[in-house]
Each structure stands twice: as structure tokens, then as C-alpha cells.
């Protein structure tokens, strides 16, 4: 037996609209996601000078790096619920503003405790962006 499809054919208006949306939205989202990937590796590059400047041991640096993923894990489900409540448009704007502020605040880290706080807060923003990116 041949499989039958219950889907209605896609109209030309829908096809044109989706093409325009893709050309306007996807390049911006791809650039944002590229920045997210670069940002993920920044702590490793910064450690070359930062560990010596702040007097961080390898154990302190490793713990600070792991806080990023710990907060990512904690916030993933609540972030998804908030995304559904507020919508991707508002959520992506909020994410980019807070992510930029927290990333800029990382420049003012003075020691291990402030590094812990900033890495935790930065990791808290990451699942928000990933989920909003996937939902558009």
C-alpha cells in the first residue's frame, strides 16, 4: 500500500514568506550562535594570562569552568518554559542584552569568588540562547 499524506500542499504565499523570513532571521541567528561558540572557548584562552594575574590554581580554574555547565544544567528546563511564555522574539532580545552585560562584567573579575559568580551567571544564559535559537 502506498503511504498517503494528510498535509495540504504548501501555497506560494507561504513559500515566499518563509524564504523571506529565513533570509532575514537566519544570518543574524547564525552570527549570534557563532559568537556563542567563540565565547565558550574564551575561558581557555584567557586562562593563559588570567591564572597568573589573579593567582588562580588549576583546581580553582577548573571549578570556575565547571560552574558554567552546572548552571547550564540547572536552568535548561525553566528557560524552556519561560521561552514558551514570552516568545522567541522577546526572549532572544533579553538573552543578548544580559549575555552581553555578563560577558562585559567578566572583565572586572578580581579573584576566584568573582570568577565563580560570573561563570555561573554566564552559564545561566547559554541554555536560554540555545533553546530560543532552536525554536525560531
Amino acid at each position: 500500500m502506498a503511504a498517503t499524506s494528510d498535509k495540504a500542499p504548501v501555497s506560494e504565499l507561504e513559500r515566499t514568506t518563509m524564504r523571506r523570513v529565513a533570509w532575514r532571521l537566519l544570518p543574524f541567528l547564525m552570527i549570534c550562535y557563532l559568537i556563542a561558540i567563540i565565547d565558550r572557548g574564551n575561558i581557555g584562552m584567557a586562562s593563559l594570562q588570567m591564572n597568573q594575574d589573579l593567582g588562580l590554581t588549576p583546581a580553582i580554574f577548573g571549578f570556575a569552568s565547571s560552574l558554567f555547565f552546572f548552571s547550564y544544567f540547572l536552568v535548561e528546563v525553566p528557560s524552556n518554559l519561560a521561552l514558551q511564555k514570552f516568545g522567541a522574539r522577546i526572549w532572544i532580545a533579553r538573552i543578548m542584552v544580559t549575555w552581553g552585560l555578563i560577558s562585559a562584567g567578566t572583565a572586572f573579575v578580581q579573584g576566584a569568588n568573582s570568577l565563580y559568580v560570573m561563570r555561573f551567571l554566564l552559564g545561566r544564559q547559554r541554555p536560554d540562547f540555545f533553546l530560543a535559537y532552536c525554536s525560531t
Side-chain angles (χ1 to χ4, degrees):
M1 254 196 206
T4 60
S5 175
D6 293 336
K7 292 183 179 180
V10 178
S11 70
E12 186 60 33
L13 176 63
E14 184 178 355
R15 193 174 291 127
T16 304
T17 303
M18 291 307 294
R19 188 178 9 218
R20 284 185 180 175
V21 168
W23 278 106
R24 288 182 182 207
L25 188 61
L26 289 180
F28 171 71
L29 290 174
M30 288 171 38
I31 290 169
C32 291
Y33 204 68
L34 176 66
I35 292 169
I37 291 170
I38 291 170
D39 184 50
R40 188 178 302 148
N42 276 349
I43 189 77
M45 297 298 270
S47 71
L48 300 173
Q49 282 295 130
M50 181 180 66
N51 289 349
Q52 183 181 5
D53 292 346
L54 298 178
L56 304 177
T57 66
I60 290 172
F61 177 76
F63 181 69
S65 296
S66 69
L67 281 175
F68 177 89
F69 297 104
F70 180 70
S71 63
Y72 183 103
F73 172 75
L74 286 178
V75 178
E76 195 163 5
V77 172
S79 174
N80 195 11
L81 296 173
L83 171 64
Q84 290 177 353
K85 180 178 181 180
F86 298 111
R89 182 178 180 188
I90 293 172
W91 208 240
I92 289 176
R94 196 251 349 135
I95 291 164
M96 297 309 287
V97 169
T98 56
W99 186 18
L101 291 173
I102 292 169
S103 292
T106 304
F108 301 106
V109 166
Q110 297 291 318
N113 291 332
S114 58
L115 180 62
Y116 293 157
V117 169
M118 295 311 286
R119 290 301 291 175
F120 186 85
L121 292 175
L122 192 61
R124 191 251 169 265
Q125 299 307 312
R126 187 60 50 95
D128 292 346
F129 179 67
F130 182 72
L131 292 170
Y133 179 77
C134 291
S135 73
T136 56

